[in-house]
Every structure is written in structure tokens, then in C-alpha cells.
Amino acid sequence: MIPKCIFWEIMLILGGVGLLNYIWFGMLVISVVCSLFTGRSAELSRAVTDGADKAVKLVISMAGVMCLWTGILRIAEKSGVTEKISVLLAPVIKLIMPECRDNQKALEAVSANITANILGLGNAATPLGLKAMKELQKTNKLIDAPDNSMVMFVVINTASLQLIPSTIAALRQAAGSEQPFSVLPYIWITSVLTLITGIILAKIFSVRGR
């Protein structure tokens, strides 16, 4: 059983920086050990230097595209487009998360979070997600565990659909792609299938857990 007060924090750590830090550290240790045993320390040093140089160049080349799409999405947020999409999502959220049907504040927070993720507003999505989880906790009848709506919310965030994956497009453009957004249809298809699969599995396990 996961204590209710740390459920969302655990999800953020496992899904974000915490787990990645361990993965990267492990890769670095393995690389150093292998280079020492194989006598290729010089190659490792060159690879580290070249990698750092390429990383800086990649960040600079991506900056323009990222600033462009971040600005466009910010305009969409300020113009009320985000709010309108949240209103359209409300009926769907009520269907897949019936536990929050009577909790208007939770419904609004969940809708806003999903909308921010769809539009690629990661900075706005994080605080909205924390707010939504706190509101969902208020109607949670379980003492020491998340209820079905909280689990479903994490699943939806993990398999989030993005209409404009600006980071991928920026990486493709930096790598020399002439059509960095040509992969959009495939990203949309796989994202939708992943999201549907996650929702179905969450529903199946929620029924079995009753």
C-alpha cells in the first residue's frame, strides 16, 4: 500500500529526474570501468570531450525552434484556447474518471493539466498536475492508497498525447531533417494507441481490484 501523502511525489520521481539520474550514473560507471579494463581510456576521454561539444551545439541549434513553439503555445494559453479545450475534455474525463464527477475543482484541474500536456506546455502541466492530485485526494475514500481516479490520472499523464511535439521536431531539424514535422501523424497514432491501451488496462485492473 502506498501512503496517500507521497503517492504523487513517488510518481514524479520514478517518472522523471530521480530514475534518470540513476540510469545515467550507472552508464557512466560502466563506461569508465570498461575503458580501464580494455585499455581504451584515451578513446573515452575523446568521446567525453566530443560529446560535450556536440551537446552545446545541439542546444544552441534547438533554441530557436523551441522558443518559437513555446511562444505560440503561450499565446494559445493566454488567448483562452487552453481553457476552451479543457471545457471540451470535461465530459470525457467524467466518463473515464467517474470518481471525480461530483468534484468540480478536481475536474477543472485534471482538464487543465491534460490540456497543457496536449499543447506541450510542460511547465504549466506540472503545477496543474499537483493541484489536480490534491483535489482528487479530497474525495479519496481509501486511507493509505490512491483510488482509481488518481491511478487513472497518472496513467493519462504518462501516456500523454501531444499535438505539437516541439522537442522531437527541434531534434530532427538539428540533425539535418528537411521536414522535421513529417513524423507528426505517426506520433499521433502511436500516442493515441498508447493512451487507449493505458486507459483500458487501468480500467481492467480497477475492476479486478474491487
Side-chain angles (χ1 to χ4, degrees):
M1 301 294 285
I2 303 176
K4 59 183 181 181
C5 60
I6 62 171
F7 174 72
W8 183 242
E9 285 77 5
I10 290 176
M11 292 298 103
L12 288 177
I13 292 173
L14 293 181
V17 178
L19 183 59
L20 287 177
N21 281 341
Y22 287 114
I23 293 174
W24 285 114
F25 180 75
M27 292 173 64
L28 288 172
V29 171
I30 292 172
S31 300
V32 172
V33 172
C34 289
S35 68
L36 293 175
F37 277 99
T38 58
R40 304 182 65 181
S41 300
E43 287 85 346
L44 176 63
S45 299
R46 284 195 296 270
V48 171
T49 304
D50 293 340
D53 180 65
K54 292 178 181 178
V56 173
K57 292 179 180 178
L58 177 62
V59 170
I60 294 174
S61 63
M62 288 177 60
V65 178
M66 293 296 294
C67 290
L68 170 64
W69 285 107
T70 301
I72 292 175
L73 295 172
R74 186 67 174 174
I75 292 172
E77 182 183 10
K78 291 295 184 180
S79 63
V81 174
T82 303
E83 184 178 353
K84 292 179 180 178
I85 296 177
S86 297
V87 174
L88 294 176
L89 287 174
V92 180
I93 296 172
K94 289 181 181 179
L95 181 64
I96 62 177
M97 299 172 61
E99 292 85 359
C100 68
R101 186 173 297 171
D102 298 326
N103 189 341
Q104 186 61 31
K105 290 185 178 180
L107 187 62
E108 292 175 358
V110 171
S111 299
N113 170 262
I114 294 175
T115 301
N117 279 323
I118 289 176
L119 295 178
L121 300 171
N123 293 334
T126 300
L128 289 172
L130 292 171
K131 179 181 178 182
M133 190 61 75
K134 289 179 181 178
E135 293 296 333
L136 290 172
Q137 179 58 45
K138 292 178 181 179
T139 57
N140 183 11
K141 297 180 181 180
L142 303 176
I143 299 176
D144 296 320
D147 62 7
N148 292 332
S149 63
M150 298 171 74
V151 174
M152 180 64 74
F153 181 59
V154 173
V155 170
I156 293 173
N157 269 266
T158 304
S160 176
L161 169 66
Q162 285 193 5
L163 294 179
I164 306 175
S166 54
T167 302
I168 294 177
L171 286 170
R172 285 173 54 81
Q173 186 177 36
S177 175
E178 295 182 357
Q179 297 180 331
F181 287 97
S182 62
V183 296
L184 284 184
Y186 311 104
I187 292 176
W188 293 338
I189 292 172
T190 54
S191 298
V192 169
L193 292 176
T194 302
L195 182 59
I196 293 174
T197 302
I199 292 174
I200 291 175
L201 289 175
K203 283 292 185 181
I204 292 174
F205 284 115
S206 68
V207 172
R208 288 187 175 183
R210 292 178 182 175

